[in-house]
C-alpha cells in the first residue's frame, strides 16, 4: 500500500502565484522609492527655469538711440548650487521711452559682441557677424537676429528677465 506523501514545498500554480506576488511587491517598493527620488532629482532643474526680474539700473542715464551695456547681477541656480553671475546685457532706449534689451550672446556660436558706435552696428569678433541697431543680421554667419529679453520699467528702473537661447539655430529656442 502506497502512502500519500505531503511536503511543505509549494508546487505548480501555487509556486508561480508566490513568485508573481514577490515580483509585484518588489515593483511596488521600487515605484514608491522612485517617485520621490525623481522629484528630488528633477526639482533643481525645474527651479532653474524660474525667471526673476533683475534690476538693470536707472532709466535716467540711458541715452536714447545708443545701445548701452548694463550689468545684470543675479544668482543662478545650477543644479544644487547657487552661483552669483553677472551678465552684460545691451539696452537700447527708444525715443518712445520704451527699452529693447538684447541678450549679450551672439546667435551664431555664443560669443560676446560689442557695439561699434562709429559704424552703428553690433559686431561679433569671433566669426564676423554684424547686427544693426534693431538686432537684425546684416553680415556674417549668424542664423537669426539678436535675442531680445523681457523687460519692464518700474519706479524709474529697468528690470530684465535673463534668459538663454540655443546658438546656431534659425529658430529661437530657449534653454
Ligand atoms: S559667435 Fe558670433 S559670429 Fe560666430
Amino acid at each position: 500500500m502506497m502512502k500519500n506523501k505531503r511536503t511543505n514545498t509549494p508546487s505548480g500554480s501555487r509556486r508561480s502565484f508566490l513568485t508573481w506576488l514577490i515580483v509585484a511587491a518588489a515593483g511596488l517598493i521600487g515605484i514608491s522609492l522612485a517617485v520621490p527620488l525623481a522629484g528630488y532629482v528633477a526639482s533643481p532643474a525645474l527651479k532653474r527655469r524660474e525667471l526673476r526680474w533683475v534690476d538693470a539700473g536707472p532709466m535716467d542715464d540711458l541715452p536714447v538711440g545708443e545701445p548701452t551695456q548694463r550689468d545684470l547681477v543675479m544668482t543662478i541656480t545650477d543644479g544644487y548650487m547657487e552661483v552669483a553671475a553677472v551678465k552684460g546685457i545691451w539696452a537700447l532706449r527708444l525715443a518712445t521711452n520704451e527699452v529693447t534689451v538684447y541678450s549679450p550672446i551672439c546667435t551664431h556660436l555664443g560669443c560676446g559682441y560689442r557695439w561699434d558706435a562709429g559704424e552703428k552696428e553690433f559686431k561679433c569678433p569671433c566669426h564676423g557677424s554684424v547686427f544693426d541697431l534693431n538686432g537684425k543680421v546684416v553680415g556674417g554667419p549668424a542664423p537669426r537676429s539678436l535675442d531680445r529679453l523681457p523687460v519692464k520699467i518700474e519706479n524709474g528702473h529697468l528690470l530684465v528677465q535673463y534668459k538663454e537661447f540655443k546658438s546656431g539655430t534659425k529658430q529661437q529656442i530657449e534653454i
Side-chain angles (χ1 to χ4, degrees):
M1 200 163 104
M2 290 237 328
K3 263 192 166 178
N4 199 3
K5 262 191 171 176
R6 298 191 87 189
T7 62
N8 288 335
T9 314
S11 64
S13 63
R14 194 169 157 219
R15 186 182 298 149
S16 62
F17 173 73
L18 283 174
T19 307
W20 178 88
L21 206 64
I22 291 167
V23 169
L28 279 176
I29 292 168
I31 289 168
S32 66
L33 290 175
V35 169
L37 190 67
Y40 180 72
V41 170
S43 67
L46 296 175
K47 246 192 215 163
R48 202 182 318 167
R49 299 208 154 265
E50 207 178 277
L51 292 171
R52 297 173 200 152
W53 289 102
V54 184
D55 193 339
M59 276 286 290
D60 287 354
D61 50 358
L62 265 186
V64 175
E66 187 75 17
T68 306
Q69 198 159 34
R70 284 276 175 90
D71 283 343
L72 286 188
V73 182
M74 56 195 171
T75 306
I76 292 178
T77 307
D78 188 5
Y80 296 98
M81 286 181 32
E82 291 233 311
V83 287
V86 180
K87 305 286 182 183
I89 51 100
W90 287 95
L92 171 64
R93 184 176 179 175
L94 310 172
T96 52
N97 241 4
E98 291 165 307
V99 180
T100 299
V101 170
Y102 298 116
S103 159
I105 298 171
C106 176
T107 55
H108 178 225
L109 291 177
C111 285
Y113 57 86
R114 309 293 305 168
W115 170 246
D116 184 328
E119 298 197 21
K120 302 263 175 233
E121 287 170 333
F122 292 105
K123 291 182 176 174
C124 181
C126 290
H127 313 95
S129 285
V130 182
F131 308 86
D132 69 11
L133 193 65
N134 299 313
K136 219 177 115 201
V137 183
V138 290
R144 64 172 192 270
S145 300
L146 292 175
D147 296 312
R148 295 175 180 220
L149 301 176
V151 61
K152 68 177 178 180
I153 297 159
E154 250 178 37
N155 302 322
H157 273 241
L158 182 64
L159 303 182
V160 178
Q161 272 186 348
Y162 188 76
K163 295 180 174 188
E164 284 189 355
F165 304 92
K166 216 170 177 176
S167 299
T169 58
K170 210 164 173 49
Q171 296 296 318
Q172 189 189 59
I173 302 166
E174 192 179 339
I175 50 176

